[in-house]
């Protein structure tokens, strides 16, 4: 059994949105012991648009259980993305976006020892052409 619920509110150029999903035991090995089977994610975001200019920030966190042999492991991923764009002319919108993420892989909930800690960032600079 799995479910997802989310929503978005808009008011005078401002938007806020969020989502939560619980994936239950979907995709979890039966080798993982009870209590180590969290599979969920949530997101939250905000944006502002004023004429040709727009900015946004979004955050996502997820936790998922997995197995290595018969040992339960947990992956936690967090990601924040900020961006801005400006429509310089009809059909031409340059933009910039930066994402910062971290992935922690841990032993079962009982030990909570981090076995891998990966983090990084990505910056994208581009332009959208529409004609």
């Amino acid at each position: 059994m799995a479910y997802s619920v989310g929503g978005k509110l808009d008011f005078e150029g401002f938007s806020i949105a969020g989502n939560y999903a619980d994936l239950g035991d979907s995709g979890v090995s039966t080798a993982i012991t009870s209590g180590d089977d969290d599979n969920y994610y949530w997101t939250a975001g905000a944006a502002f648009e004023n004429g040709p200019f727009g900015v946004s920030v979004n955050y996502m966190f997820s936790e998922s259980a997995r197995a290595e042999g018969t040992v339960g492991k947990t992956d936690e991923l967090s990601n924040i993305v900020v961006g801005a764009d400006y429509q310089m002319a009809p059909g031409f919108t340059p933009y910039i976006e930066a994402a910062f993420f971290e992935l922690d892989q841990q032993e079962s909930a009982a030990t909570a020892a981090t076995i891998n800690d990966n983090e990084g960032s990505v910056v994208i600079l581009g332009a959208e052409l529409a004609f």
Side-chain angles (χ1 to χ4, degrees), residues 22-129:
D22 188 326
L23 306 176
D25 293 337
S26 300
V28 178
S29 169
T30 57
I32 297 178
T33 61
S34 178
D36 288 338
D37 57 0
D38 291 333
N39 262 334
Y40 68 92
Y41 67 88
W42 62 269
T43 63
F48 176 71
E49 285 190 42
N50 185 11
F53 178 71
V55 294
S56 66
V57 60
N58 296 284
Y59 180 78
M60 192 261 319
F61 178 83
S62 72
E63 183 176 303
S64 61
R66 62 186 173 84
E68 284 186 15
T70 59
V71 178
K73 308 284 185 183
T74 301
D75 295 338
E76 290 183 355
L77 174 67
S78 61
N79 184 32
I80 188 165
V81 180
V82 294
D85 61 35
Y86 183 78
Q87 185 178 12
M88 293 184 75
F92 180 64
T93 307
Y95 60 88
I96 187 166
E97 187 174 291
F100 308 94
F101 59 89
E102 183 173 5
L103 171 65
D104 292 327
Q105 296 177 315
Q106 299 177 340
E107 296 287 343
S108 66
T111 62
T114 300
I115 54 175
N116 284 317
D117 184 12
N118 298 299
E119 56 187 57
S121 56
V122 176
V123 176
I124 299 172
L125 180 63
E128 179 180 321
L129 286 174

